[in-house]
Amino acid sequence: SFIYFALSVAFWSYCYFLWQNVSNEADAIFWCRILMAAAIFIPSTFLHFSINLIGKYLQYKKVINFFYLTSTVFFILNLFTNLIVKDVRSRLIFPYWPTAGIAFTSFLVMFIGLTFYAHYLLYRHYKSLTGLRRNQIKYVLLGTSIGFLGGSTNYPLWYDIHILPIGNILVAVY
């Protein structure tokens, strides 16, 4: 399950790089939709990984499947409609920054909710551990908190809130 999570983040990062290096609006929309295809699966793969890490897969199997299904719905909306990525516009120093479509806010609520929930499950389990397993969970909590907090700086600009996504580099630190 970790590889699903890591691949989602890596694919998002790669497409983010390609999007930032385009020279026209059509390419920018294309790469924004492709990077969002990866981003849509980051929270569900992180939840899956977190639950596997604490050894509770069978207990949470239906929850995991539900959120993979939910992510698939967002994935389809993203690729075939403008409900996630409405368009791209010049914002701050960026010539082509995405605008949130009507379904983007619902996706963002899921993203934030699952991220907090997975961290909560990890932390709750962490408190009852000692030794190597406790350290392992501690470093996963620390690394993913850094990555998610840094990556979250991308979203205000989607809503025309003029905050530069300077924390984005922290995704690489995670």
Side-chain angles (χ1 to χ4, degrees):
S1 61
F2 176 73
I3 197 151
Y4 299 140
F5 172 57
L7 285 174
S8 294
V9 173
F11 190 67
W12 171 82
S13 298
Y14 176 71
C15 294
Y16 193 101
F17 171 79
L18 293 173
W19 157 53
Q20 289 299 305
N21 288 289
V22 299
S23 59
N24 63 69
E25 185 177 329
D27 288 346
I29 289 174
F30 173 80
W31 284 112
C32 283
R33 289 205 171 114
I34 298 301
L35 76 85
M36 283 307 299
I40 284 167
F41 283 98
I42 290 173
S44 48
T45 58
F46 178 58
L47 178 69
H48 186 181
F49 163 64
S50 299
I51 288 170
N52 275 344
L53 188 61
I54 64 173
K56 304 282 186 177
Y57 177 77
L58 291 177
Q59 182 179 343
Y60 289 94
K61 184 179 179 179
K62 288 181 181 177
V63 172
I64 293 167
N65 290 336
F66 173 78
F67 284 109
Y68 274 124
L69 180 63
T70 304
S71 294
T72 302
V73 170
F74 283 122
F75 177 82
I76 292 166
L77 290 175
N78 174 61
L79 288 184
F80 301 109
T81 73
N82 65 354
L83 297 175
I84 302 289
V85 178
K86 181 179 177 182
D87 58 30
V88 291
R89 297 181 189 159
S90 178
R91 290 194 177 89
L92 297 178
I93 62 172
F94 303 98
Y96 308 109
W97 196 269
T99 302
I102 197 165
F104 185 80
T105 302
S106 298
F107 156 72
L108 198 54
V109 167
M110 181 192 78
F111 192 105
I112 294 166
L114 282 185
T115 301
F116 275 109
Y117 184 58
H119 279 98
Y120 165 76
L121 291 174
L122 287 169
Y123 180 72
R124 195 174 74 190
H125 192 71
Y126 164 83
K127 292 190 315 182
S128 68
L129 296 173
T130 59
L132 184 62
R133 288 287 292 155
R134 184 178 174 96
N135 254 356
Q136 184 182 36
I137 303 266
K138 176 176 69 176
Y139 287 118
V140 168
L141 279 166
L142 179 63
T144 57
S145 294
I146 289 168
F148 279 114
L149 285 173
S152 70
T153 63
N154 282 286
Y155 295 124
L157 213 45
W158 282 68
Y159 294 98
D160 221 10
I161 299 168
H162 291 188
I163 298 172
L164 280 171
I166 58 174
N168 197 50
I169 192 69
L170 295 176
V171 174
V173 172
Y174 116 88

